[in-house]
Amino acid sequence: MTSGNLKECFEAFLTTDVEEYVLMIARAYRTFIAGLAAFRIYRETRDSLWMHVGTERMKEMRIWAEHCSSWNFEHKLQLMKAEHHYCNGNFELAAQSYEKAIASARTHKYINDEALTCELAGRFFLERDHLASSLEYLRLAHEKYFDWGAVGKANQLMNFINAKFAVSCNSLSMAGQELKFAAMMET
C-alpha cells in the first residue's frame, strides 16, 4: 500500500461513522463465509450456481485484500483461492494456497483463521488420500482451536480425527508434540 493509498484509506476511515465501519467489517466476514460455503456446496452438488457465488465472493475479497488491508484480508483471500482451486481440480495450486493462507494468518496473528485453514487443508488432503498430510494439518487445527479457546470445536475435531484415523485420544502424537487432550477432557 502506498502512502497515498494509506492517506486515502485513513481519511475515509475518519469520515466514516463507527456504525458504517462495523457494518463494513461485518460485510467482509459475510463475504468470506459465504464464499467458503459456496465452494463447499459446489463440491457436494456440482451446481454451477454455487461456483459462481463463490467466485463472486472471492472477487469481493480480492478488493478488500488489495485496496483496504492485506493484514486483515490476505489470508482470507488465499483460503478462498485454495477452495476455488480445489473445486476446479487444481490440487497443486490448492495445496500452495492453503500453505500461503496458513502462513499469512499466522503472521497476522489470526489464530482462529489459521485453525480454520488448517482444518480445511486437512480435509482437502484427507479427500485426496494423503493421510499423513491430512493428519498433520488436522492436528495443527486442533491445537490452534484449543489455543484460541474454542474447546468445543477442538473436541469436535478430535472426535473426527479419532473416527477417521482410529487413534486413541490419549496417545496421538505428531512431530513430537502431544495434543492437548487431557486439558480438553477436563473442561
Side-chain angles (χ1 to χ4, degrees):
M1 177 181 294
T2 66
S3 60
N5 287 345
L6 179 60
K7 183 177 180 276
E8 289 171 19
C9 286
F10 186 67
E11 288 171 351
F13 172 76
L14 290 177
T15 60
T16 302
D17 255 347
V18 171
E19 289 177 8
E20 283 182 50
Y21 182 72
V22 170
L23 290 174
M24 184 173 62
I25 296 300
R27 179 174 178 183
Y29 275 94
R30 187 185 81 188
T31 297
F32 177 56
I33 298 302
L36 294 179
F39 289 135
R40 171 78 182 262
I41 293 168
Y42 172 76
R43 281 197 309 276
E44 292 175 358
T45 67
R46 291 298 184 205
D47 182 343
S48 62
L49 167 71
W50 295 108
M51 176 59 93
H52 175 74
V53 170
T55 301
E56 290 301 308
R57 298 300 80 79
M58 188 171 64
K59 287 177 185 176
E60 287 179 45
M61 188 56 64
R62 181 173 286 116
I63 292 168
W64 287 95
E66 292 175 356
H67 299 289
C68 290
S69 171
S70 63
W71 184 278
N72 293 318
F73 303 113
E74 175 185 75
H75 63 281
K76 290 173 174 56
L77 176 60
Q78 286 300 327
L79 179 53
M80 293 173 84
K81 284 180 176 181
E83 292 287 296
H84 184 259
H85 290 312
Y86 183 13
C87 288
N88 286 323
N90 298 323
F91 302 126
E92 187 174 320
L93 290 175
Q96 291 170 8
S97 292
Y98 284 120
E99 269 303 313
K100 288 177 183 177
I102 291 166
S104 179
R106 183 176 297 135
T107 297
H108 298 126
K109 311 294 186 224
Y110 278 91
I111 193 169
N112 56 324
D113 289 339
E114 183 180 357
L116 173 63
T117 304
C118 288
E119 180 180 2
L120 293 178
R123 291 176 185 271
F124 163 77
F125 283 109
L126 182 62
E127 291 176 18
R128 305 286 311 136
D129 289 325
H130 297 147
L131 301 182
S133 294
S134 174
L135 185 57
E136 179 60 22
Y137 280 109
L138 292 171
R139 182 206 58 78
L140 185 56
H142 170 271
E143 179 183 312
K144 295 301 176 181
Y145 281 129
F146 186 82
D147 291 347
W148 184 46
V151 175
K153 178 60 183 171
N155 283 333
Q156 179 188 40
L157 189 56
M158 174 190 61
N159 291 335
F160 177 80
I161 292 169
N162 289 339
K164 292 294 181 183
F165 294 95
V167 293
S168 165
C169 66
N170 292 321
S171 65
L172 181 59
S173 175
M174 286 294 291
Q177 296 181 8
E178 293 294 326
L179 290 176
K180 300 173 182 176
F181 288 122
M184 285 188 350
M185 295 300 183
E186 294 175 4
T187 51

